[in-house]
Amino acid sequence: MSLLITFDLDNTLWDVMPVITRAEYAMESWFEERFPGFYRNFGGDYQLTVRQHILNKQPELSADLTNLRLKMYQQVLKSFGLPSEEANLVAQSALAHFCEWRQKVDLFPHVNEVLSELVQDYRLAVITNGNADVFHPYVGLGQYFEFAVRAEHLGVAKPEPQLFLHAAKQADVTPEQVIHIGDHPIDDVQGAANAGARSIWFNRHGARRWAEDWGTSSHAEVHSLLELPSAIQSLAL
């Protein structure tokens, strides 16, 4: 049976927190170079408050993190005192700078090794709620994947089944022919189940135990990416 193996990105192929932390530091420097003193009153906590206010008014933006960040920058810059037109232009430049830093990931060990092995036998794709671009040169994994399904492009986020169904349709396979790999018990495991696909839970180092309120468990569990080829093969039989 032809299989499509789909991957989550953040916390599955790399640790996302250091990426975001570095990007936010870079943004602090970016703003301070242009508007000295900006971050004292319009930095981290203030931006988080504005972000939440925007989400309260437009909850659908939770599936479009890039647009959400753009709107946050626009609002913060207007609060800083920039006219609307200038604030919008500066926000676009700020977003571009953030997105560049967002791609500067540090891959988990064995990512290239495992993907190189898997792509020999399976079709690979990405399903992500985040705004990392697997085809960006900084990420450097585009050679392994046929395509990426991103929540911001569909307007819905995992665990909604649409992302998994979209991936299956794009690959011309049935949901039953999709095996999704991800770290998140709800977004990845339950999301795949919602679409009728199978899943492998990436529980790195076996640090967590499955909680009853997470719902139906995955079809397999791995603690290292090196275990993936065997886990996928067992499900393919």
Side-chain angles (χ1 to χ4, degrees):
M1 179 174 66
S2 176
L3 291 178
L4 176 69
I5 311 301
T6 60
F7 280 83
D8 173 55
L9 296 179
D10 292 334
N11 296 325
T12 297
L13 298 184
W14 57 74
D15 187 351
V16 72
M17 285 309 299
V19 180
I20 299 301
T21 298
R22 285 194 298 265
E24 293 293 0
Y25 282 139
M27 294 313 300
E28 179 176 354
S29 297
W30 191 92
F31 279 111
E32 285 295 319
E33 287 175 3
R34 289 155 181 79
F35 311 108
F38 178 89
Y39 250 70
R40 278 200 301 272
N41 296 315
F42 299 95
D45 289 342
Y46 183 83
Q47 291 185 13
L48 288 176
T49 300
V50 170
R51 183 182 188 276
Q52 188 57 53
H53 181 71
I54 294 170
L55 275 176
N56 290 342
K57 287 189 170 183
Q58 297 177 269
E60 69 276 7
L61 287 177
S62 62
D64 190 349
L65 299 180
T66 302
N67 196 27
L68 173 61
R69 182 169 288 271
L70 175 63
K71 289 182 178 295
M72 180 189 74
Y73 286 152
Q74 290 170 335
Q75 184 58 55
V76 169
L77 288 162
K78 289 175 187 177
S79 298
F80 177 68
L82 295 187
S84 292
E85 184 175 352
E86 183 179 358
N88 292 340
L89 289 173
V90 174
Q92 290 280 0
S93 296
L95 179 67
H97 190 67
F98 173 85
C99 287
E100 181 178 6
W101 277 89
R102 177 66 174 88
Q103 314 309 322
K104 295 182 179 182
V105 302
D106 297 315
L107 300 175
F108 283 144
H110 312 298
V111 167
N112 277 288
E113 176 185 348
V114 170
L115 293 178
S116 295
E117 180 177 348
L118 292 177
V119 79
Q120 302 303 315
D121 299 311
Y122 308 103
R123 302 171 65 190
L124 308 184
V126 166
I127 302 177
T128 179
N129 283 351
N131 47 13
D133 179 4
V134 74
F135 298 104
H136 193 286
Y138 288 160
V139 179
L141 298 177
Q143 69 270 28
Y144 303 117
F145 296 103
E146 291 187 20
F147 60 87
V149 177
R150 291 168 60 172
E152 63 185 24
H153 295 158
L154 295 186
V156 292
K158 297 180 293 185
E160 294 298 321
Q162 290 95 315
L163 285 88
F164 301 90
L165 296 174
H166 184 87
K169 182 177 180 180
Q170 186 162 340
D172 194 25
V173 298
T174 66
E176 292 78 12
Q177 292 171 286
V178 175
I179 298 176
H180 181 69
I181 296 144
D183 70 290
H184 200 286
I186 305 302
D187 291 350
D188 294 309
V189 175
Q190 292 306 307
N194 290 343
R198 289 175 289 174
S199 65
I200 296 174
W201 183 35
F202 178 47
N203 179 17
R204 193 166 186 242
H205 301 314
R208 294 181 289 176
R209 291 189 177 183
W210 191 266
E212 290 185 5
D213 60 354
W214 290 346
T216 304
S217 59
S218 62
H219 295 79
E221 176 182 335
V222 297
H223 301 159
S224 165
L225 293 175
L226 288 173
E227 300 171 16
L228 273 178
S230 294
I232 292 171
Q233 186 177 31
S234 69
L235 295 180
L237 296 177

